[in-house]
Amino acid sequence: MSKLKIAIQKSGRLNEDSLQILKDCGISIDNGKDQLKASASNFPLEVFYLRNGDIPQYLRDGVVDAAIIGENLLVEKGEDIQFTEKLGFSKCKVSLAIPKGEKYTGLSYFQNKKIATSYPKTVQDFLAKNNIQAQLHIINGSVEIAPNIGLADGICDIVSSGSTLFKNNLKEVEVLLKSEAVLAVSPEIKKEQQEILNKLQFRIQSVLKGRQSRYILLNAPNDKLEKIINILPGMRSPTVLPLAEEGWSSVHSVLNKNEFWEVIDALKENGAEGILVCPIEKMVI
């Protein structure tokens, strides 16, 4: 039986988040310690644990059919590789930073300066687009130390919380791009593997929709029911059921988690009571 070969980062946060979304998709990975390859016991899937920077080439060559990878890495090493889904985790920025004590005057600050980075293509494209000439020092790992030892005037690196910059006495001054994990596809993928990937992507979309939503149940007096229903967005329309107590109904609906508190406030103001909110594991549309 054909299997879909998918690559994920060998270790780190992206590895953990990638395995979690596969688990949430109902896929059980027989993952032994220090394995470089593992199979799913209940889905036609093989997982390859690879060094992050090698994944674009493995996709390009068709060694793996798909990958969960940072969008920033595709920009740097795999512009020819397409992705089919943004996954909503491992969000970060690729940013330029300089020492805190330096006065930043705009991009012209970097004219004829030295920039240390692990993302030379991304930086060079950004500088060229803005007509800035700078000298790049390519460093793999520990880029933040470069200004402190006199190797560079600034850096370009991944920024998540900003704590690493803060610890190294640096400040973020320009965001080159925003990134998150994506589901990337090999240009060499075969038809059978594409069909398996479509099934996996359907499961992923259901998980992501569930993560973005909340299930809400509430009690509403019938004389205020119309106002309350108009507040609730719902998937199509809210479900309304009569309560044992005359004159009251139970209303069920789905909310976007980002709009949650604003909607709750409006519901309370319009007479809703006994509001119960639950997470949604998966949502199939």
Side-chain angles (χ1 to χ4, degrees):
M1 183 180 178
S2 295
K3 291 187 176 183
L4 178 74
K5 293 175 288 186
I6 188 168
I8 67 171
Q9 186 176 313
K10 189 176 179 181
S11 60
R13 179 67 183 275
L14 186 52
N15 166 276
E16 296 168 8
D17 289 339
S18 300
L19 289 174
Q20 185 61 53
I21 198 167
L22 292 177
K23 183 179 178 181
D24 291 346
C25 287
I27 298 171
S28 299
I29 307 294
D30 299 325
N31 182 24
K33 185 177 171 62
D34 297 327
Q35 278 186 296
L36 296 179
K37 185 174 77 168
S39 295
S41 60
N42 59 351
F43 192 82
L45 184 75
E46 278 187 320
V47 177
F48 287 68
Y49 301 93
L50 302 176
R51 197 172 71 87
N52 209 30
D54 294 338
I55 293 176
Q57 192 60 49
Y58 277 79
L59 284 166
R60 193 176 286 114
D61 293 342
V63 176
V64 294
D65 305 305
I68 296 176
I69 188 172
E71 189 179 355
N72 59 293
L73 194 57
L74 287 185
V75 171
E76 179 64 28
K77 292 189 173 184
E79 277 193 319
D80 55 321
I81 297 167
Q82 302 296 313
F83 67 84
T84 59
E85 195 78 38
K86 292 194 173 190
L87 302 177
F89 57 79
S90 296
K91 292 186 177 182
C92 65
K93 298 173 285 184
V94 177
S95 300
L96 287 164
I98 63 174
K100 281 183 189 174
E102 290 287 318
K103 183 180 179 183
Y104 186 63
T105 55
L107 272 175
S108 59
Y109 173 90
F110 290 101
Q111 187 69 35
N112 299 320
K113 296 281 177 66
K114 298 176 183 177
I115 302 172
T117 186
S118 302
Y119 297 90
K121 181 182 181 302
T122 303
V123 180
Q124 193 57 61
D125 288 350
F126 179 79
L127 295 177
K129 183 180 175 182
N130 290 280
N131 299 313
I132 302 293
Q133 298 289 328
Q135 182 181 345
L136 301 187
H137 284 281
I138 302 171
I139 300 176
N140 292 317
S142 301
V143 173
E144 294 85 1
I145 198 173
N148 293 328
I149 60 175
L151 183 63
D153 302 294
I155 69 163
C156 183
D157 201 18
I158 287 177
V159 177
S160 296
S161 66
S163 61
T164 304
L165 291 182
F166 180 80
K167 290 174 185 175
N168 287 276
N169 204 35
L170 299 172
K171 62 182 178 182
E172 181 184 57
V173 292
E174 295 285 344
V175 176
L176 279 62
L177 63 93
K178 293 182 179 180
S179 173
E180 63 184 86
V182 297
L183 181 64
V185 183
S186 168
E188 302 295 323
I189 191 169
K190 294 180 174 59
K191 182 181 177 182
E192 287 182 60
Q193 280 70 32
Q194 181 64 58
E195 289 173 355
I196 299 170
L197 180 62
N198 292 343
K199 292 179 181 179
L200 175 62
Q201 189 173 355
F202 172 75
R203 293 193 185 191
I204 288 173
Q205 289 170 344
S206 299
V207 170
L208 294 178
K209 191 67 178 173
R211 288 181 180 180
Q212 293 162 5
S213 306
R214 295 292 181 267
Y215 190 72
I216 183 169
L217 303 86
L218 59 89
N219 297 330
N222 289 345
D223 60 348
K224 296 182 179 178
L225 199 54
E226 186 175 350
K227 282 186 178 180
I228 287 172
I229 288 173
N230 288 335
I231 293 167
L232 290 166
M235 292 174 62
R236 182 164 296 169
S237 65
T239 300
V240 180
L241 301 170
L243 290 179
E245 183 179 345
E246 191 174 342
W248 284 79
S249 295
S250 174
V251 181
H252 301 222
S253 191
V254 174
L255 297 178
N256 184 305
K257 70 174 186 179
N258 296 322
E259 301 169 354
F260 168 75
W261 287 113
E262 292 81 357
V263 174
I264 294 296
D265 289 340
L267 290 170
K268 288 179 66 180
E269 288 171 7
N270 283 276
E273 295 182 7
I275 300 171
L276 179 64
V277 180
C278 307
I280 298 174
E281 187 174 303
K282 299 169 187 70
M283 197 158 82
V284 180
I285 297 177

